[in-house]
PDB file of all heavy atoms in Angstrom:
ATOM      1  N   ALA A   1     -81.827 -70.544  43.430  1.00 98.00           N
ATOM      2  CA  ALA A   1     -83.040 -70.116  44.148  1.00 98.00           C
ATOM      3  C   ALA A   1     -84.211 -70.307  43.128  1.00 98.00           C
ATOM      4  O   ALA A   1     -84.053 -70.163  41.934  1.00 98.00           O
ATOM      5  CB  ALA A   1     -82.965 -68.642  44.558  1.00 98.00           C
ATOM      6  N   GLY A   2     -85.411 -70.593  43.627  1.00 97.00           N
ATOM      7  CA  GLY A   2     -86.578 -70.723  42.801  1.00 97.00           C
ATOM      8  C   GLY A   2     -87.393 -71.908  43.207  1.00 97.00           C
ATOM      9  O   GLY A   2     -87.319 -72.435  44.237  1.00 97.00           O
ATOM     10  N   THR A   3     -88.224 -72.324  42.154  1.00 96.00           N
ATOM     11  CA  THR A   3     -89.162 -73.401  42.386  1.00 96.00           C
ATOM     12  C   THR A   3     -88.946 -74.446  41.181  1.00 96.00           C
ATOM     13  O   THR A   3     -88.269 -74.101  40.216  1.00 96.00           O
ATOM     14  CB  THR A   3     -90.588 -72.973  42.344  1.00 96.00           C
ATOM     15  OG1 THR A   3     -90.829 -72.375  41.031  1.00 96.00           O
ATOM     16  CG2 THR A   3     -90.816 -71.882  43.432  1.00 96.00           C
ATOM     17  N   PRO A   4     -89.533 -75.587  41.304  1.00 95.00           N
ATOM     18  CA  PRO A   4     -89.432 -76.512  40.193  1.00 95.00           C
ATOM     19  C   PRO A   4     -89.870 -75.962  38.839  1.00 95.00           C
ATOM     20  O   PRO A   4     -89.405 -76.290  37.792  1.00 95.00           O
ATOM     21  CB  PRO A   4     -90.296 -77.749  40.576  1.00 95.00           C
ATOM     22  CG  PRO A   4     -90.193 -77.701  42.117  1.00 95.00           C
ATOM     23  CD  PRO A   4     -90.182 -76.243  42.464  1.00 95.00           C
ATOM     24  N   GLY A   5     -90.821 -75.079  38.920  1.00 92.00           N
ATOM     25  CA  GLY A   5     -91.352 -74.470  37.671  1.00 92.00           C
ATOM     26  C   GLY A   5     -90.547 -73.281  37.165  1.00 92.00           C
ATOM     27  O   GLY A   5     -90.572 -72.921  36.006  1.00 92.00           O
ATOM     28  N   ARG A   6     -89.703 -72.683  38.021  1.00 95.00           N
ATOM     29  CA  ARG A   6     -88.917 -71.522  37.662  1.00 95.00           C
ATOM     30  C   ARG A   6     -87.796 -71.375  38.634  1.00 95.00           C
ATOM     31  O   ARG A   6     -87.932 -71.018  39.757  1.00 95.00           O
ATOM     32  CB  ARG A   6     -89.843 -70.311  37.745  1.00 95.00           C
ATOM     33  CG  ARG A   6     -89.346 -69.109  37.002  1.00 95.00           C
ATOM     34  CD  ARG A   6     -90.519 -68.211  36.724  1.00 95.00           C
ATOM     35  NE  ARG A   6     -90.000 -66.934  36.205  1.00 95.00           N
ATOM     36  CZ  ARG A   6     -89.945 -65.779  36.883  1.00 95.00           C
ATOM     37  NH1 ARG A   6     -90.473 -65.726  38.113  1.00 95.00           N
ATOM     38  NH2 ARG A   6     -89.400 -64.693  36.393  1.00 95.00           N
ATOM     39  N   CYS A   7     -86.565 -71.611  38.140  1.00 97.00           N
ATOM     40  CA  CYS A   7     -85.343 -71.624  39.008  1.00 97.00           C
ATOM     41  C   CYS A   7     -84.242 -70.873  38.301  1.00 97.00           C
ATOM     42  O   CYS A   7     -84.195 -70.913  37.073  1.00 97.00           O
ATOM     43  CB  CYS A   7     -84.972 -73.039  39.321  1.00 97.00           C
ATOM     44  SG  CYS A   7     -83.602 -73.151  40.418  1.00 97.00           S
ATOM     45  N   ASN A   8     -83.352 -70.263  38.984  1.00 97.00           N
ATOM     46  CA  ASN A   8     -82.166 -69.611  38.390  1.00 97.00           C
ATOM     47  C   ASN A   8     -80.958 -69.830  39.255  1.00 97.00           C
ATOM     48  O   ASN A   8     -81.093 -70.099  40.453  1.00 97.00           O
ATOM     49  CB  ASN A   8     -82.471 -68.080  38.286  1.00 97.00           C
ATOM     50  CG  ASN A   8     -81.436 -67.418  37.341  1.00 97.00           C
ATOM     51  OD1 ASN A   8     -81.200 -67.891  36.193  1.00 97.00           O
ATOM     52  ND2 ASN A   8     -80.780 -66.439  37.828  1.00 97.00           N
ATOM     53  N   VAL A   9     -79.812 -69.689  38.673  1.00 98.00           N
ATOM     54  CA  VAL A   9     -78.521 -69.802  39.384  1.00 98.00           C
ATOM     55  C   VAL A   9     -77.682 -68.579  39.020  1.00 98.00           C
ATOM     56  O   VAL A   9     -77.833 -68.039  37.955  1.00 98.00           O
ATOM     57  CB  VAL A   9     -77.725 -71.084  39.103  1.00 98.00           C
ATOM     58  CG1 VAL A   9     -78.530 -72.282  39.639  1.00 98.00           C
ATOM     59  CG2 VAL A   9     -77.413 -71.233  37.613  1.00 98.00           C
ATOM     60  N   MET A  10     -76.754 -68.176  39.947  1.00 97.00           N
ATOM     61  CA  MET A  10     -75.831 -67.146  39.621  1.00 97.00           C
ATOM     62  C   MET A  10     -74.521 -67.484  40.395  1.00 97.00           C
ATOM     63  O   MET A  10     -74.567 -68.105  41.480  1.00 97.00           O
ATOM     64  CB  MET A  10     -76.375 -65.761  40.016  1.00 97.00           C
ATOM     65  CG  MET A  10     -76.593 -65.553  41.518  1.00 97.00           C
ATOM     66  SD  MET A  10     -77.111 -63.866  41.936  1.00 97.00           S
ATOM     67  CE  MET A  10     -75.546 -63.011  42.138  1.00 97.00           C
ATOM     68  N   THR A  11     -73.413 -67.056  39.874  1.00 96.00           N
ATOM     69  CA  THR A  11     -72.133 -67.176  40.482  1.00 96.00           C
ATOM     70  C   THR A  11     -72.081 -66.170  41.651  1.00 96.00           C
ATOM     71  O   THR A  11     -72.455 -65.019  41.438  1.00 96.00           O
ATOM     72  CB  THR A  11     -70.991 -66.949  39.458  1.00 96.00           C
ATOM     73  OG1 THR A  11     -71.160 -67.863  38.426  1.00 96.00           O
ATOM     74  CG2 THR A  11     -69.621 -67.150  40.149  1.00 96.00           C
ATOM     75  N   ILE A  12     -71.541 -66.600  42.786  1.00 95.00           N
ATOM     76  CA  ILE A  12     -71.394 -65.723  43.950  1.00 95.00           C
ATOM     77  C   ILE A  12     -69.899 -65.727  44.421  1.00 95.00           C
ATOM     78  O   ILE A  12     -69.347 -66.808  44.497  1.00 95.00           O
ATOM     79  CB  ILE A  12     -72.360 -65.933  45.065  1.00 95.00           C
ATOM     80  CG1 ILE A  12     -72.277 -67.428  45.560  1.00 95.00           C
ATOM     81  CG2 ILE A  12     -73.816 -65.592  44.666  1.00 95.00           C
ATOM     82  CD1 ILE A  12     -73.101 -67.666  46.800  1.00 95.00           C
ATOM     83  N   GLY A  13     -69.440 -64.563  44.749  1.00 88.00           N
ATOM     84  CA  GLY A  13     -68.099 -64.478  45.363  1.00 88.00           C
ATOM     85  C   GLY A  13     -68.060 -63.990  46.713  1.00 88.00           C
ATOM     86  O   GLY A  13     -67.068 -64.087  47.423  1.00 88.00           O
ATOM     87  N   TRP A  14     -69.193 -63.523  47.202  1.00 91.00           N
ATOM     88  CA  TRP A  14     -69.320 -63.028  48.550  1.00 91.00           C
ATOM     89  C   TRP A  14     -70.136 -63.935  49.356  1.00 91.00           C
ATOM     90  O   TRP A  14     -71.290 -64.341  48.936  1.00 91.00           O
ATOM     91  CB  TRP A  14     -69.932 -61.662  48.596  1.00 91.00           C
ATOM     92  CG  TRP A  14     -69.064 -60.556  48.034  1.00 91.00           C
ATOM     93  CD1 TRP A  14     -67.922 -60.607  47.387  1.00 91.00           C
ATOM     94  CD2 TRP A  14     -69.410 -59.134  48.046  1.00 91.00           C
ATOM     95  NE1 TRP A  14     -67.481 -59.413  46.956  1.00 91.00           N
ATOM     96  CE2 TRP A  14     -68.390 -58.480  47.364  1.00 91.00           C
ATOM     97  CE3 TRP A  14     -70.525 -58.435  48.541  1.00 91.00           C
ATOM     98  CZ2 TRP A  14     -68.374 -57.055  47.187  1.00 91.00           C
ATOM     99  CZ3 TRP A  14     -70.456 -57.065  48.382  1.00 91.00           C
ATOM    100  CH2 TRP A  14     -69.479 -56.389  47.763  1.00 91.00           C
ATOM    101  N   GLY A  15     -69.747 -64.274  50.553  1.00 92.00           N
ATOM    102  CA  GLY A  15     -70.552 -65.085  51.450  1.00 92.00           C
ATOM    103  C   GLY A  15     -69.889 -65.270  52.805  1.00 92.00           C
ATOM    104  O   GLY A  15     -68.654 -64.970  52.910  1.00 92.00           O
ATOM    105  N   GLN A  16     -70.634 -65.749  53.711  1.00 92.00           N
ATOM    106  CA  GLN A  16     -70.131 -65.976  55.020  1.00 92.00           C
ATOM    107  C   GLN A  16     -70.765 -67.230  55.627  1.00 92.00           C
ATOM    108  O   GLN A  16     -71.895 -67.509  55.328  1.00 92.00           O
ATOM    109  CB  GLN A  16     -70.424 -64.784  55.957  1.00 92.00           C
ATOM    110  CG  GLN A  16     -69.793 -63.511  55.599  1.00 92.00           C
ATOM    111  CD  GLN A  16     -70.235 -62.325  56.379  1.00 92.00           C
ATOM    112  OE1 GLN A  16     -71.462 -62.096  56.528  1.00 92.00           O
ATOM    113  NE2 GLN A  16     -69.334 -61.570  56.926  1.00 92.00           N
ATOM    114  N   LEU A  17     -70.038 -67.921  56.486  1.00 92.00           N
ATOM    115  CA  LEU A  17     -70.464 -69.085  57.151  1.00 92.00           C
ATOM    116  C   LEU A  17     -70.208 -68.884  58.670  1.00 92.00           C
ATOM    117  O   LEU A  17     -69.183 -68.287  59.014  1.00 92.00           O
ATOM    118  CB  LEU A  17     -69.807 -70.350  56.630  1.00 92.00           C
ATOM    119  CG  LEU A  17     -69.982 -70.685  55.228  1.00 92.00           C
ATOM    120  CD1 LEU A  17     -69.018 -71.724  54.782  1.00 92.00           C
ATOM    121  CD2 LEU A  17     -71.388 -71.162  55.002  1.00 92.00           C
ATOM    122  N   GLY A  18     -71.150 -69.324  59.464  1.00 92.00           N
ATOM    123  CA  GLY A  18     -70.907 -69.205  60.937  1.00 92.00           C
ATOM    124  C   GLY A  18     -72.109 -69.655  61.753  1.00 92.00           C
ATOM    125  O   GLY A  18     -72.840 -70.520  61.280  1.00 92.00           O
ATOM    126  N   THR A  19     -72.290 -68.989  62.855  1.00 94.00           N
ATOM    127  CA  THR A  19     -73.346 -69.377  63.766  1.00 94.00           C
ATOM    128  C   THR A  19     -74.061 -68.109  64.168  1.00 94.00           C
ATOM    129  O   THR A  19     -73.509 -67.097  64.472  1.00 94.00           O
ATOM    130  CB  THR A  19     -72.782 -70.007  65.086  1.00 94.00           C
ATOM    131  OG1 THR A  19     -71.967 -71.133  64.703  1.00 94.00           O
ATOM    132  CG2 THR A  19     -73.848 -70.485  66.036  1.00 94.00           C
ATOM    133  N   LEU A  20     -75.385 -68.172  64.101  1.00 97.00           N
ATOM    134  CA  LEU A  20     -76.328 -67.119  64.468  1.00 97.00           C
ATOM    135  C   LEU A  20     -77.538 -67.748  65.168  1.00 97.00           C
ATOM    136  O   LEU A  20     -78.061 -68.674  64.688  1.00 97.00           O
ATOM    137  CB  LEU A  20     -76.699 -66.258  63.241  1.00 97.00           C
ATOM    138  CG  LEU A  20     -77.681 -65.113  63.527  1.00 97.00           C
ATOM    139  CD1 LEU A  20     -76.968 -63.997  64.362  1.00 97.00           C
ATOM    140  CD2 LEU A  20     -78.122 -64.524  62.203  1.00 97.00           C
ATOM    141  N   TRP A  21     -77.868 -67.153  66.373  1.00 97.00           N
ATOM    142  CA  TRP A  21     -78.983 -67.687  67.117  1.00 97.00           C
ATOM    143  C   TRP A  21     -78.827 -69.214  67.346  1.00 97.00           C
ATOM    144  O   TRP A  21     -79.792 -69.972  67.278  1.00 97.00           O
ATOM    145  CB  TRP A  21     -80.317 -67.383  66.513  1.00 97.00           C
ATOM    146  CG  TRP A  21     -80.492 -65.862  66.300  1.00 97.00           C
ATOM    147  CD1 TRP A  21     -80.384 -64.896  67.291  1.00 97.00           C
ATOM    148  CD2 TRP A  21     -80.913 -65.208  65.123  1.00 97.00           C
ATOM    149  NE1 TRP A  21     -80.637 -63.723  66.727  1.00 97.00           N
ATOM    150  CE2 TRP A  21     -80.939 -63.826  65.470  1.00 97.00           C
ATOM    151  CE3 TRP A  21     -81.181 -65.561  63.787  1.00 97.00           C
ATOM    152  CZ2 TRP A  21     -81.332 -62.826  64.512  1.00 97.00           C
ATOM    153  CZ3 TRP A  21     -81.598 -64.636  62.902  1.00 97.00           C
ATOM    154  CH2 TRP A  21     -81.617 -63.294  63.210  1.00 97.00           C
ATOM    155  N   ASN A  22     -77.580 -69.610  67.589  1.00 97.00           N
ATOM    156  CA  ASN A  22     -77.236 -71.027  67.893  1.00 97.00           C
ATOM    157  C   ASN A  22     -77.557 -71.981  66.722  1.00 97.00           C
ATOM    158  O   ASN A  22     -77.827 -73.129  66.862  1.00 97.00           O
ATOM    159  CB  ASN A  22     -77.893 -71.514  69.138  1.00 97.00           C
ATOM    160  CG  ASN A  22     -77.297 -70.897  70.364  1.00 97.00           C
ATOM    161  OD1 ASN A  22     -76.103 -70.678  70.397  1.00 97.00           O
ATOM    162  ND2 ASN A  22     -78.101 -70.616  71.367  1.00 97.00           N
ATOM    163  N   LYS A  23     -77.600 -71.406  65.529  1.00 97.00           N
ATOM    164  CA  LYS A  23     -77.846 -72.215  64.282  1.00 97.00           C
ATOM    165  C   LYS A  23     -76.664 -72.034  63.305  1.00 97.00           C
ATOM    166  O   LYS A  23     -76.135 -70.944  63.190  1.00 97.00           O
ATOM    167  CB  LYS A  23     -79.135 -71.735  63.604  1.00 97.00           C
ATOM    168  CG  LYS A  23     -80.350 -71.967  64.439  1.00 97.00           C
ATOM    169  CD  LYS A  23     -81.614 -71.573  63.758  1.00 97.00           C
ATOM    170  CE  LYS A  23     -82.865 -71.747  64.555  1.00 97.00           C
ATOM    171  NZ  LYS A  23     -83.139 -73.109  64.912  1.00 97.00           N
ATOM    172  N   PRO A  24     -76.313 -73.115  62.601  1.00 95.00           N
ATOM    173  CA  PRO A  24     -75.298 -72.957  61.567  1.00 95.00           C
ATOM    174  C   PRO A  24     -75.899 -72.141  60.471  1.00 95.00           C
ATOM    175  O   PRO A  24     -77.047 -72.489  59.987  1.00 95.00           O
ATOM    176  CB  PRO A  24     -74.973 -74.354  61.145  1.00 95.00           C
ATOM    177  CG  PRO A  24     -76.229 -75.171  61.480  1.00 95.00           C
ATOM    178  CD  PRO A  24     -76.842 -74.509  62.674  1.00 95.00           C
ATOM    179  N   VAL A  25     -75.216 -71.113  59.963  1.00 96.00           N
ATOM    180  CA  VAL A  25     -75.856 -70.199  58.913  1.00 96.00           C
ATOM    181  C   VAL A  25     -74.900 -69.940  57.802  1.00 96.00           C
ATOM    182  O   VAL A  25     -73.687 -70.062  57.903  1.00 96.00           O
ATOM    183  CB  VAL A  25     -76.326 -68.844  59.512  1.00 96.00           C
ATOM    184  CG1 VAL A  25     -77.421 -69.087  60.516  1.00 96.00           C
ATOM    185  CG2 VAL A  25     -75.142 -68.119  60.175  1.00 96.00           C
ATOM    186  N   CYS A  26     -75.451 -69.563  56.678  1.00 96.00           N
ATOM    187  CA  CYS A  26     -74.700 -69.126  55.529  1.00 96.00           C
ATOM    188  C   CYS A  26     -75.397 -67.745  55.063  1.00 96.00           C
ATOM    189  O   CYS A  26     -76.580 -67.714  54.972  1.00 96.00           O
ATOM    190  CB  CYS A  26     -74.808 -70.171  54.369  1.00 96.00           C
ATOM    191  SG  CYS A  26     -74.060 -69.616  52.871  1.00 96.00           S
ATOM    192  N   THR A  27     -74.567 -66.798  54.808  1.00 97.00           N
ATOM    193  CA  THR A  27     -75.060 -65.513  54.356  1.00 97.00           C
ATOM    194  C   THR A  27     -74.491 -65.247  52.890  1.00 97.00           C
ATOM    195  O   THR A  27     -73.294 -65.445  52.691  1.00 97.00           O
ATOM    196  CB  THR A  27     -74.634 -64.314  55.253  1.00 97.00           C
ATOM    197  OG1 THR A  27     -75.085 -64.581  56.613  1.00 97.00           O
ATOM    198  CG2 THR A  27     -75.113 -62.992  54.768  1.00 97.00           C
ATOM    199  N   VAL A  28     -75.399 -64.918  52.067  1.00 97.00           N
ATOM    200  CA  VAL A  28     -75.025 -64.561  50.640  1.00 97.00           C
ATOM    201  C   VAL A  28     -75.512 -63.126  50.352  1.00 97.00           C
ATOM    202  O   VAL A  28     -76.419 -62.649  51.021  1.00 97.00           O
ATOM    203  CB  VAL A  28     -75.593 -65.593  49.629  1.00 97.00           C
ATOM    204  CG1 VAL A  28     -75.012 -67.009  49.878  1.00 97.00           C
ATOM    205  CG2 VAL A  28     -77.125 -65.659  49.667  1.00 97.00           C
ATOM    206  N   TYR A  29     -75.036 -62.590  49.258  1.00 97.00           N
ATOM    207  CA  TYR A  29     -75.281 -61.160  48.944  1.00 97.00           C
ATOM    208  C   TYR A  29     -75.714 -61.118  47.504  1.00 97.00           C
ATOM    209  O   TYR A  29     -75.049 -61.598  46.631  1.00 97.00           O
ATOM    210  CB  TYR A  29     -74.047 -60.276  49.290  1.00 97.00           C
ATOM    211  CG  TYR A  29     -73.619 -60.411  50.645  1.00 97.00           C
ATOM    212  CD1 TYR A  29     -72.737 -61.414  51.074  1.00 97.00           C
ATOM    213  CD2 TYR A  29     -74.073 -59.476  51.606  1.00 97.00           C
ATOM    214  CE1 TYR A  29     -72.315 -61.474  52.393  1.00 97.00           C
ATOM    215  CE2 TYR A  29     -73.649 -59.597  52.869  1.00 97.00           C
ATOM    216  CZ  TYR A  29     -72.792 -60.584  53.295  1.00 97.00           C
ATOM    217  OH  TYR A  29     -72.351 -60.717  54.630  1.00 97.00           O
ATOM    218  N   VAL A  30     -76.869 -60.464  47.257  1.00 97.00           N
ATOM    219  CA  VAL A  30     -77.381 -60.345  45.903  1.00 97.00           C
ATOM    220  C   VAL A  30     -77.878 -58.947  45.676  1.00 97.00           C
ATOM    221  O   VAL A  30     -78.588 -58.331  46.514  1.00 97.00           O
ATOM    222  CB  VAL A  30     -78.599 -61.335  45.754  1.00 97.00           C
ATOM    223  CG1 VAL A  30     -79.143 -61.201  44.346  1.00 97.00           C
ATOM    224  CG2 VAL A  30     -78.186 -62.736  46.067  1.00 97.00           C
ATOM    225  N   ARG A  31     -77.449 -58.365  44.523  1.00 93.00           N
ATOM    226  CA  ARG A  31     -77.890 -57.015  44.191  1.00 93.00           C
ATOM    227  C   ARG A  31     -79.315 -57.051  43.663  1.00 93.00           C
ATOM    228  O   ARG A  31     -79.734 -58.056  43.029  1.00 93.00           O
ATOM    229  CB  ARG A  31     -77.059 -56.459  43.050  1.00 93.00           C
ATOM    230  CG  ARG A  31     -75.678 -55.909  43.460  1.00 93.00           C
ATOM    231  CD  ARG A  31     -75.048 -55.348  42.232  1.00 93.00           C
ATOM    232  NE  ARG A  31     -73.694 -55.022  42.390  1.00 93.00           N
ATOM    233  CZ  ARG A  31     -73.176 -53.802  42.736  1.00 93.00           C
ATOM    234  NH1 ARG A  31     -74.017 -52.863  42.866  1.00 93.00           N
ATOM    235  NH2 ARG A  31     -71.883 -53.632  42.872  1.00 93.00           N
ATOM    236  N   PRO A  32     -80.142 -56.062  43.950  1.00 94.00           N
ATOM    237  CA  PRO A  32     -81.521 -56.017  43.441  1.00 94.00           C
ATOM    238  C   PRO A  32     -81.635 -56.055  41.923  1.00 94.00           C
ATOM    239  O   PRO A  32     -82.656 -56.529  41.397  1.00 94.00           O
ATOM    240  CB  PRO A  32     -82.066 -54.689  43.963  1.00 94.00           C
ATOM    241  CG  PRO A  32     -81.229 -54.394  45.096  1.00 94.00           C
ATOM    242  CD  PRO A  32     -79.841 -54.966  44.849  1.00 94.00           C
TER     243      PRO A  32
END
C-alpha cells in the first residue's frame, strides 16, 4: 500500500476472496 513516493509492505496471514455487490473482492485485515 502507498504511493510511488512512499510505499510499504507487510506479511498477511488473514484474508478472504469472494464476491460482494457482484464484484470479485479481496478482504485483508490490518491492525491500527
Side-chain angles (χ1 to χ4, degrees):
T3 65
R6 198 162 170 250
C7 184
N8 194 53
V9 296
M10 66 177 271
T11 304
I12 54 173
W14 292 6
Q16 296 172 309
L17 297 166
T19 303
L20 180 65
W21 301 310
N22 290 324
K23 297 182 180 298
V25 296
C26 176
T27 302
V28 297
Y29 302 86
V30 181
R31 283 185 190 263

